[in-house]
Amino acid sequence: MASEKYCVVVPERFQTDPNCGTICDLFDVVWLQDFLDNTEKYREKIQGHFSTHTTFSEDVVASMPKLKVVSAYGVGVDHLDVGMYSRYGVKIGNTPNVLNDCAADQAMTLMLASARKLVNGFDLLRKGQTSVCYTYAYLGNRVTGSTIGIVGMGRIGYKVAERAIGFQMKVLYHNRTRRSEEEEKHINATYCSNLDDLLSQSDFVVLVTPLSAKTKGLIGADQLKKMKPTAILINIGRGPLIDQDALVEALKAGHLGGAGLDVTDPEPLPVDHPLLDMSNVTIAPHLGSATKATRQVMFDMCIENIKAGIEGRPLASEVLPS
């Protein structure tokens, strides 16, 4: 007799994913919207939650006696109240390290595209206005030999720095804790204990820090004023790291050269949001980990986290309450 499958809530996005068959073979799948519409029907059955950007309220979690694990499909867990889940004996997993290179690649993609006005050039090409590309207004910023300031020198930030030295960039960084002398030497980096010092010197500021109560609104009107008027702000962390209203005003006033954003607040932005109409802003729909190979490893780790949590084994990667 076949063993009973574990009952797991899974987002609908995986219905069109190549791994849909694997999920359905492994688990008794309850699609997220079905669960939200029929919580009372399923609450006593659910044992795990495959979470992208979704979470459950405490009332719902309290009513789910068999829930043992939530695995985030990514490294960030700012959408999950880890402490609350922990109080109900629910473990939280995530997928760190596997997306470090892809996220760093995305930072460089946004930096290069923003600096060299790639999207603007493509728009002009589609309109048959390529002669405009050679006017002064459409000249971009030089990347090679410029100064990059990395805010958040964790695993991903360090990967960004490794790529930056390939462009002969001067690397500055700001972090809660300073890297070792050997680590700094490897990327030829200078530590800035004061964020303002980094902002005032950098041609490109790259945000790679996690979102927390302390980092929300890390870059606001005051910080933007300290940046060079030609500087470009890159964000691959989380949208709320930046005060977006202040960013819009700084860009409108010409106090900032441009922005390259993989993350926004909210996601996606409303189609009438002013950032989407600015020629000096490049926005991607949160594609930091979006390669086939990386997403497959993330998927495999999520599956292992869920199985381990339900079976009472250590998770491949567990996030503990702070």
Side-chain angles (χ1 to χ4, degrees), residues 115-151:
R116 300 305 300 272
K117 300 183 182 290
L118 184 64
V119 175
N120 307 79
F122 181 57
D123 285 341
L124 291 172
L125 185 64
R126 288 191 302 175
K127 297 173 184 176
Q129 300 174 353
T130 52
S131 60
V132 181
C133 294
Y134 304 105
T135 62
Y136 186 81
Y138 280 86
L139 298 182
N141 294 4
R142 181 180 172 90
V143 175
T144 299
S146 60
T147 298
I148 183 172
I150 301 172
V151 182

Side-chain angles (χ1 to χ4, degrees), residues 54-189:
T54 53
T55 189
F56 300 141
S57 68
E58 184 166 2
D59 287 346
V60 172
V61 173
S63 72
M64 301 168 72
K66 293 184 178 180
L67 182 65
K68 298 297 182 186
V69 61
V70 176
S71 188
Y73 185 61
V75 64
V77 293
D78 48 278
H79 63 292
L80 298 170
D81 186 338
V82 179
M84 180 272 288
Y85 277 100
S86 179
R87 290 196 296 274
Y88 292 93
V90 180
K91 292 183 176 181
I92 303 295
N94 67 344
T95 64
N97 301 323
V98 298
L99 49 77
N100 296 347
D101 284 308
C102 282
D105 289 349
Q106 183 72 347
M108 300 305 291
T109 299
L110 288 167
M111 186 171 70
L112 291 165
S114 300
R116 300 305 300 272
K117 300 183 182 290
L118 184 64
V119 175
N120 307 79
F122 181 57
D123 285 341
L124 291 172
L125 185 64
R126 288 191 302 175
K127 297 173 184 176
Q129 300 174 353
T130 52
S131 60
V132 181
C133 294
Y134 304 105
T135 62
Y136 186 81
Y138 280 86
L139 298 182
N141 294 4
R142 181 180 172 90
V143 175
T144 299
S146 60
T147 298
I148 183 172
I150 301 172
V151 182
M153 189 57 86
R155 298 183 186 94
I156 296 173
Y158 201 80
K159 291 288 187 179
V160 173
E162 288 181 328
R163 284 151 176 74
I165 59 177
F167 285 86
Q168 301 164 25
M169 302 179 81
K170 178 181 179 181
V171 178
L172 308 178
Y173 77 98
H174 174 75
N175 201 47
R176 285 183 301 174
T177 56
R178 185 171 182 172
R179 286 277 187 165
S180 69
E181 184 177 346
E182 182 179 351
E183 289 170 326
E184 288 183 344
K185 185 176 180 181
H186 175 66
I187 54 174
N188 195 27

Side-chain angles (χ1 to χ4, degrees), residues 5-11 14 23 26-29 46-52 66-73 90-95 298-318:
K5 294 180 180 179
Y6 301 135
C7 191
V8 176
V9 176
V10 180
F14 286 98
I23 296 177
L26 287 172
F27 302 128
D28 177 10
V29 172
I46 301 301
Q47 296 165 279
H49 177 201
F50 195 124
S51 173
T52 48
K66 293 184 178 180
L67 182 65
K68 298 297 182 186
V69 61
V70 176
S71 188
Y73 185 61
V90 180
K91 292 183 176 181
I92 303 295
N94 67 344
T95 64
M298 290 166 59
F299 173 84
D300 292 341
M301 188 175 285
C302 269
I303 293 298
E304 177 53 34
N305 278 338
I306 290 172
K307 290 169 61 179
I310 295 172
E311 294 169 2
R313 296 184 284 109
L315 274 57
S317 177
E318 183 176 356

Side-chain angles (χ1 to χ4, degrees), residues 196-320:
D196 290 350
D197 291 341
L198 178 146
L199 296 175
S200 64
Q201 297 178 64
S202 299
D203 299 302
F204 300 92
V205 173
V206 182
L207 305 182
V208 202
T209 189
L211 178 64
S212 68
K214 291 183 178 180
T215 61
K216 184 176 181 180
L218 180 68
I219 303 297
D222 290 342
Q223 290 72 34
L224 292 166
K225 290 175 183 176
K226 292 179 172 66
M227 294 175 65
K228 297 179 180 181
T230 55
I232 293 175
L233 178 62
I234 307 295
N235 188 6
I236 62 166
R238 285 291 187 266
L241 294 174
I242 300 174
D243 179 340
Q244 279 185 179
D245 291 338
L247 176 60
V248 169
E249 291 306 311
L251 291 165
K252 283 182 177 178
H255 296 157
L256 191 67
L261 311 173
D262 189 51
V263 289
T264 56
D265 184 23
E267 292 181 2
L269 286 177
V271 294
D272 60 348
H273 196 282
L275 284 174
L276 294 174
D277 286 329
M278 293 185 169
S279 61
N280 55 349
V281 176
T282 303
I283 301 180
H286 205 149
L287 299 177
S289 66
T291 70
K292 295 173 183 176
T294 299
R295 289 285 173 89
Q296 183 61 52
V297 178
M298 290 166 59
F299 173 84
D300 292 341
M301 188 175 285
C302 269
I303 293 298
E304 177 53 34
N305 278 338
I306 290 172
K307 290 169 61 179
I310 295 172
E311 294 169 2
R313 296 184 284 109
L315 274 57
S317 177
E318 183 176 356
V319 180
L320 300 174

